[in-house]
Amino acid sequence: MSLHDEGHTVAGWTGTAIATAGSVLLGWGVCAVSVPALVAGFAVGAVSVLVTWYLHLAGWGKPPGPRPRSQWPLGVRDAAARDGHPACASCRLAGRARRPAPHPTTATPLTADPQPATAETGA
């Protein structure tokens, strides 16, 4: 196995298998000049996107970025998926987006009284 987490998940493999079937159907539709096969191929491709999205939201996908090594095996379910992953487009589309914690800012103390804003007049 790779030394990096490449996202080998149930959601990824299932979506890839369905999309491959849709691509085969599309290719056959092109070769056979069959409009119904082309439409069916596009439909199977759309189904692959929806199935992958559903499985990701059910915890069989992975959040963006690397995961701990203990979560690399294919059959490990992501327990944090129910709350949503930060910076994850799929979770945002489902309304589950967790916003990342804001970065602390260093506030500079005021040393003098602030000047009131005045409008410039053209003379």
Side-chain angles (χ1 to χ4, degrees):
M1 183 151 184
S2 173
L3 295 177
H4 302 284
D5 177 25
E6 296 177 356
H8 300 293
T9 63
V10 172
W13 284 107
T14 304
T16 300
I18 295 171
T20 301
S23 296
V24 167
L25 194 54
L26 270 171
W28 181 75
V30 168
C31 291
V33 191
S34 171
V35 173
L38 291 172
V39 171
F42 279 117
V44 170
V47 166
S48 74
V49 171
L50 295 175
V51 167
T52 305
W53 186 34
Y54 173 77
L55 287 172
H56 172 80
L57 295 175
W60 292 110
K62 80 176 219 59
R67 295 180 294 175
R69 193 169 183 89
S70 63
Q71 294 180 4
W72 285 12
L74 184 64
V76 175
R77 195 167 182 183
D78 181 19
R82 184 169 291 279
D83 297 329
H85 303 112
C88 177
S90 295
C91 292
R92 272 186 299 206
L93 285 172
R96 293 186 182 180
R98 282 190 308 188
R99 300 286 179 222
H103 298 288
T105 58
T106 47
T108 56
L110 295 175
T111 56
D113 290 333
Q115 298 294 325
T118 57
E120 291 185 36
T121 58

